[in-house]
Amino acid sequence: MVCPKKTTYGGKIIKINGWGRVMISIIGIGPGEKAQITPLAIEALKNSEVVAGYTLYIDIIKDLIEGKEIIATPMMQEVERCRMAALAAKGNKNVAMVSSGDAGIYGMAALMIEICEELGIREEIRVIAGITAASSAAAVLGAPLTHDFAVISLSNLLTKWEDIEKRLDLASQAGFVIVIYNPSSKKRADFLKKACEIVMRNISGDTMCGYVRNIGREGQTHKILPLKELKDEVVDMFTTVIIGNSTTRVINGKLVTPRGYRI
């Protein structure tokens, strides 16, 4: 008989492959392609009784969660979704909350933990890492994140635009490669243009950049282009943008930021 592997969590011993007392798994399912969902995430989904998530993400993994109880809500109902999932766990059910990319990077992990605290729910919580859009987009484009980089969302629903502008300004002053999430929407059609203009106060418009749309999904496309052209591109919420720094260049069709090993 093979004993389940164990590890410590919050000062307690819990099972890993047996899942023990872990009642809530907050799971990053990657950019969309099944092959980019980690084996640990698949195992957590398999062991869950209830799966909660944004409607689109539930649809992406529907063949992995057949027979499960589903909690699916549209965008802008994240708090209610977490409440329902937390209460299901309180009812002694093993719950999986899914996010695209990594659940701890602009995902549901923090909110789920906060909601559990508010509701006085003490079931074990396990955060399972996923492949975030920054790394999956970078892989499509080449190797633009080999050196220091910053990730900034242009969504101003939860962050004031003044704060976003300051972060773009300071990150570009500091020479970071900048990954941009949520670059545009119907209500924010000109936000990428604004972001590029802020960055161009500090770096050349000839700086090489790139973007990927629908990473790991049907219709994936990508483009490499200079910053001065990027500002006029039409993108959407399913696009991840990478703005290079002074060392970023194109090598054999790949966007590359050298690490400096050859210096």
Side-chain angles (χ1 to χ4, degrees), residues 104-130:
I105 301 176
Y106 299 112
M108 301 302 294
L111 178 59
M112 190 69 191
I113 294 168
E114 289 174 328
I115 293 294
C116 286
E117 180 188 41
E118 290 174 9
L119 297 178
I121 293 172
R122 296 291 178 259
E123 276 70 22
E124 298 285 3
I125 299 174
R126 181 175 173 79
V127 181
I128 298 174

mmCIF file of all heavy atoms in Angstrom, residues 104-130:
data_model
loop_
_atom_site.group_PDB
_atom_site.id
_atom_site.type_symbol
_atom_site.label_atom_id
_atom_site.label_comp_id
_atom_site.label_asym_id
_atom_site.label_seq_id
_atom_site.Cartn_x
_atom_site.Cartn_y
_atom_site.Cartn_z
ATOM 1 N N GLY A 104 -3.637 33.616 -8.297
ATOM 2 C CA GLY A 104 -3.084 34.617 -7.392
ATOM 3 C C GLY A 104 -2.578 35.859 -8.103
ATOM 4 O O GLY A 104 -2.084 36.792 -7.460
ATOM 5 N N ILE A 105 -2.688 35.905 -9.433
ATOM 6 C CA ILE A 105 -2.254 37.068 -10.213
ATOM 7 C C ILE A 105 -3.480 37.627 -10.932
ATOM 8 O O ILE A 105 -3.937 37.082 -11.924
ATOM 9 C CB ILE A 105 -1.146 36.679 -11.221
ATOM 10 C CG1 ILE A 105 0.061 36.101 -10.486
ATOM 11 C CG2 ILE A 105 -0.739 37.892 -12.061
ATOM 12 C CD1 ILE A 105 1.159 35.593 -11.391
ATOM 13 N N TYR A 106 -4.035 38.706 -10.387
ATOM 14 C CA TYR A 106 -5.292 39.283 -10.876
ATOM 15 C C TYR A 106 -6.415 38.245 -10.888
ATOM 16 O O TYR A 106 -7.346 38.338 -11.696
ATOM 17 C CB TYR A 106 -5.130 39.882 -12.283
ATOM 18 C CG TYR A 106 -4.124 40.997 -12.378
ATOM 19 C CD1 TYR A 106 -2.936 40.824 -13.072
ATOM 20 C CD2 TYR A 106 -4.341 42.216 -11.758
ATOM 21 C CE1 TYR A 106 -1.993 41.842 -13.152
ATOM 22 C CE2 TYR A 106 -3.414 43.237 -11.832
ATOM 23 C CZ TYR A 106 -2.239 43.046 -12.532
ATOM 24 O OH TYR A 106 -1.317 44.061 -12.607
ATOM 25 N N GLY A 107 -6.322 37.247 -10.028
ATOM 26 C CA GLY A 107 -7.305 36.177 -9.995
ATOM 27 C C GLY A 107 -8.143 36.192 -8.740
ATOM 28 O O GLY A 107 -8.271 37.204 -8.047
ATOM 29 N N MET A 108 -8.731 35.028 -8.415
ATOM 30 C CA MET A 108 -9.723 34.936 -7.352
ATOM 31 C C MET A 108 -9.159 34.561 -5.987
ATOM 32 O O MET A 108 -9.898 34.514 -5.003
ATOM 33 C CB MET A 108 -10.782 33.901 -7.758
ATOM 34 C CG MET A 108 -11.508 34.219 -9.051
ATOM 35 S SD MET A 108 -12.354 35.815 -9.024
ATOM 36 C CE MET A 108 -13.589 35.501 -7.775
ATOM 37 N N ALA A 109 -7.865 34.273 -5.901
ATOM 38 C CA ALA A 109 -7.315 33.738 -4.654
ATOM 39 C C ALA A 109 -7.504 34.682 -3.473
ATOM 40 O O ALA A 109 -8.013 34.279 -2.418
ATOM 41 C CB ALA A 109 -5.837 33.391 -4.845
ATOM 42 N N ALA A 110 -7.097 35.929 -3.603
ATOM 43 C CA ALA A 110 -7.193 36.869 -2.474
ATOM 44 C C ALA A 110 -8.636 37.078 -2.056
ATOM 45 O O ALA A 110 -8.957 37.054 -0.855
ATOM 46 C CB ALA A 110 -6.541 38.195 -2.841
ATOM 47 N N LEU A 111 -9.531 37.281 -3.030
ATOM 48 C CA LEU A 111 -10.936 37.516 -2.710
ATOM 49 C C LEU A 111 -11.540 36.311 -2.007
ATOM 50 O O LEU A 111 -12.282 36.459 -1.026
ATOM 51 C CB LEU A 111 -11.725 37.837 -3.981
ATOM 52 C CG LEU A 111 -13.234 38.051 -3.797
ATOM 53 C CD1 LEU A 111 -13.519 39.203 -2.832
ATOM 54 C CD2 LEU A 111 -13.902 38.306 -5.144
ATOM 55 N N MET A 112 -11.226 35.114 -2.482
ATOM 56 C CA MET A 112 -11.784 33.902 -1.871
ATOM 57 C C MET A 112 -11.328 33.775 -0.419
ATOM 58 O O MET A 112 -12.115 33.446 0.476
ATOM 59 C CB MET A 112 -11.347 32.679 -2.681
ATOM 60 C CG MET A 112 -12.047 31.391 -2.286
ATOM 61 S SD MET A 112 -13.785 31.426 -2.731
ATOM 62 C CE MET A 112 -14.356 29.966 -1.861
ATOM 63 N N ILE A 113 -10.061 34.046 -0.167
ATOM 64 C CA ILE A 113 -9.527 33.975 1.202
ATOM 65 C C ILE A 113 -10.188 35.032 2.083
ATOM 66 O O ILE A 113 -10.540 34.768 3.245
ATOM 67 C CB ILE A 113 -7.996 34.129 1.186
ATOM 68 C CG1 ILE A 113 -7.353 32.920 0.484
ATOM 69 C CG2 ILE A 113 -7.437 34.264 2.595
ATOM 70 C CD1 ILE A 113 -5.884 33.095 0.160
ATOM 71 N N GLU A 114 -10.390 36.235 1.536
ATOM 72 C CA GLU A 114 -11.044 37.306 2.286
ATOM 73 C C GLU A 114 -12.490 36.949 2.635
ATOM 74 O O GLU A 114 -12.951 37.170 3.763
ATOM 75 C CB GLU A 114 -11.016 38.608 1.472
ATOM 76 C CG GLU A 114 -9.652 39.246 1.357
ATOM 77 C CD GLU A 114 -9.654 40.440 0.423
ATOM 78 O OE1 GLU A 114 -10.440 40.455 -0.554
ATOM 79 O OE2 GLU A 114 -8.882 41.366 0.669
ATOM 80 N N ILE A 115 -13.221 36.405 1.657
ATOM 81 C CA ILE A 115 -14.617 36.037 1.877
ATOM 82 C C ILE A 115 -14.726 34.952 2.949
ATOM 83 O O ILE A 115 -15.609 35.005 3.821
ATOM 84 C CB ILE A 115 -15.270 35.563 0.567
ATOM 85 C CG1 ILE A 115 -15.388 36.721 -0.442
ATOM 86 C CG2 ILE A 115 -16.648 34.937 0.833
ATOM 87 C CD1 ILE A 115 -16.323 37.833 -0.036
ATOM 88 N N CYS A 116 -13.831 33.986 2.902
ATOM 89 C CA CYS A 116 -13.843 32.922 3.917
ATOM 90 C C CYS A 116 -13.626 33.506 5.312
ATOM 91 O O CYS A 116 -14.269 33.090 6.281
ATOM 92 C CB CYS A 116 -12.778 31.875 3.597
ATOM 93 S SG CYS A 116 -13.215 30.796 2.204
ATOM 94 N N GLU A 117 -12.728 34.482 5.413
ATOM 95 C CA GLU A 117 -12.497 35.125 6.708
ATOM 96 C C GLU A 117 -13.754 35.856 7.176
ATOM 97 O O GLU A 117 -14.162 35.752 8.341
ATOM 98 C CB GLU A 117 -11.330 36.110 6.601
ATOM 99 C CG GLU A 117 -11.024 36.820 7.918
ATOM 100 C CD GLU A 117 -10.000 37.931 7.761
ATOM 101 O OE1 GLU A 117 -10.070 38.663 6.760
ATOM 102 O OE2 GLU A 117 -9.145 38.066 8.654
ATOM 103 N N GLU A 118 -14.397 36.606 6.272
ATOM 104 C CA GLU A 118 -15.596 37.357 6.625
ATOM 105 C C GLU A 118 -16.722 36.450 7.097
ATOM 106 O O GLU A 118 -17.483 36.789 8.005
ATOM 107 C CB GLU A 118 -16.077 38.170 5.420
ATOM 108 C CG GLU A 118 -15.179 39.341 5.053
ATOM 109 C CD GLU A 118 -15.615 40.015 3.772
ATOM 110 O OE1 GLU A 118 -16.703 39.680 3.259
ATOM 111 O OE2 GLU A 118 -14.864 40.875 3.266
ATOM 112 N N LEU A 119 -16.833 35.273 6.488
ATOM 113 C CA LEU A 119 -17.914 34.342 6.819
ATOM 114 C C LEU A 119 -17.558 33.412 7.976
ATOM 115 O O LEU A 119 -18.366 32.571 8.364
ATOM 116 C CB LEU A 119 -18.296 33.524 5.579
ATOM 117 C CG LEU A 119 -18.868 34.316 4.391
ATOM 118 C CD1 LEU A 119 -19.161 33.387 3.221
ATOM 119 C CD2 LEU A 119 -20.134 35.057 4.802
ATOM 120 N N GLY A 120 -16.341 33.563 8.492
ATOM 121 C CA GLY A 120 -15.925 32.709 9.592
ATOM 122 C C GLY A 120 -15.710 31.270 9.192
ATOM 123 O O GLY A 120 -15.852 30.345 10.011
ATOM 124 N N ILE A 121 -15.344 31.066 7.931
ATOM 125 C CA ILE A 121 -15.136 29.702 7.419
ATOM 126 C C ILE A 121 -13.688 29.308 7.642
ATOM 127 O O ILE A 121 -12.773 30.022 7.237
ATOM 128 C CB ILE A 121 -15.525 29.637 5.928
ATOM 129 C CG1 ILE A 121 -17.035 29.854 5.795
ATOM 130 C CG2 ILE A 121 -15.110 28.301 5.309
ATOM 131 C CD1 ILE A 121 -17.510 30.006 4.374
ATOM 132 N N ARG A 122 -13.481 28.170 8.278
ATOM 133 C CA ARG A 122 -12.127 27.758 8.666
ATOM 134 C C ARG A 122 -11.633 26.530 7.907
ATOM 135 O O ARG A 122 -10.633 25.940 8.270
ATOM 136 C CB ARG A 122 -12.097 27.479 10.172
ATOM 137 C CG ARG A 122 -12.377 28.727 11.027
ATOM 138 C CD ARG A 122 -11.213 29.708 10.927
ATOM 139 N NE ARG A 122 -11.478 30.930 11.705
ATOM 140 C CZ ARG A 122 -11.872 32.063 11.158
ATOM 141 N NH1 ARG A 122 -12.051 32.134 9.848
ATOM 142 N NH2 ARG A 122 -12.097 33.121 11.905
ATOM 143 N N GLU A 123 -12.356 26.110 6.867
ATOM 144 C CA GLU A 123 -11.894 24.970 6.080
ATOM 145 C C GLU A 123 -10.530 25.283 5.457
ATOM 146 O O GLU A 123 -10.214 26.438 5.182
ATOM 147 C CB GLU A 123 -12.911 24.629 4.971
ATOM 148 C CG GLU A 123 -14.062 23.750 5.426
ATOM 149 C CD GLU A 123 -15.021 24.464 6.358
ATOM 150 O OE1 GLU A 123 -15.059 25.701 6.341
ATOM 151 O OE2 GLU A 123 -15.722 23.772 7.110
ATOM 152 N N GLU A 124 -9.761 24.225 5.240
ATOM 153 C CA GLU A 124 -8.439 24.407 4.644
ATOM 154 C C GLU A 124 -8.564 24.982 3.231
ATOM 155 O O GLU A 124 -9.452 24.617 2.468
ATOM 156 C CB GLU A 124 -7.687 23.072 4.583
ATOM 157 C CG GLU A 124 -7.414 22.455 5.943
ATOM 158 C CD GLU A 124 -6.285 23.159 6.682
ATOM 159 O OE1 GLU A 124 -5.763 24.153 6.153
ATOM 160 O OE2 GLU A 124 -5.952 22.714 7.779
ATOM 161 N N ILE A 125 -7.663 25.902 2.884
ATOM 162 C CA ILE A 125 -7.626 26.510 1.558
ATOM 163 C C ILE A 125 -6.283 26.198 0.917
ATOM 164 O O ILE A 125 -5.237 26.345 1.547
ATOM 165 C CB ILE A 125 -7.822 28.039 1.642
ATOM 166 C CG1 ILE A 125 -9.179 28.372 2.252
ATOM 167 C CG2 ILE A 125 -7.672 28.683 0.259
ATOM 168 C CD1 ILE A 125 -9.402 29.856 2.494
ATOM 169 N N ARG A 126 -6.321 25.789 -0.335
ATOM 170 C CA ARG A 126 -5.096 25.469 -1.066
ATOM 171 C C ARG A 126 -5.093 26.264 -2.369
ATOM 172 O O ARG A 126 -6.052 26.196 -3.143
ATOM 173 C CB ARG A 126 -5.039 23.968 -1.351
ATOM 174 C CG ARG A 126 -3.795 23.506 -2.082
ATOM 175 C CD ARG A 126 -3.838 21.983 -2.169
ATOM 176 N NE ARG A 126 -2.778 21.456 -3.001
ATOM 177 C CZ ARG A 126 -1.518 21.293 -2.629
ATOM 178 N NH1 ARG A 126 -1.159 21.654 -1.416
ATOM 179 N NH2 ARG A 126 -0.620 20.780 -3.440
ATOM 180 N N VAL A 127 -4.061 27.060 -2.603
ATOM 181 C CA VAL A 127 -3.923 27.826 -3.844
ATOM 182 C C VAL A 127 -3.000 27.053 -4.781
ATOM 183 O O VAL A 127 -1.868 26.729 -4.416
ATOM 184 C CB VAL A 127 -3.355 29.237 -3.576
ATOM 185 C CG1 VAL A 127 -3.239 30.017 -4.886
ATOM 186 C CG2 VAL A 127 -4.244 29.994 -2.589
ATOM 187 N N ILE A 128 -3.501 26.760 -5.971
ATOM 188 C CA ILE A 128 -2.753 25.960 -6.936
ATOM 189 C C ILE A 128 -2.345 26.845 -8.116
ATOM 190 O O ILE A 128 -3.201 27.391 -8.821
ATOM 191 C CB ILE A 128 -3.585 24.754 -7.412
ATOM 192 C CG1 ILE A 128 -3.888 23.847 -6.203
ATOM 193 C CG2 ILE A 128 -2.858 23.980 -8.505
ATOM 194 C CD1 ILE A 128 -4.814 22.717 -6.508
ATOM 195 N N ALA A 129 -1.053 26.993 -8.295
ATOM 196 C CA ALA A 129 -0.530 27.914 -9.310
ATOM 197 C C ALA A 129 -0.896 27.487 -10.728
ATOM 198 O O ALA A 129 -1.039 26.292 -11.031
ATOM 199 C CB ALA A 129 0.988 28.019 -9.181
ATOM 200 N N GLY A 130 -1.044 28.487 -11.599
ATOM 201 C CA GLY A 130 -1.283 28.236 -13.013
ATOM 202 C C GLY A 130 -0.345 29.078 -13.852
ATOM 203 O O GLY A 130 0.387 29.924 -13.334
#
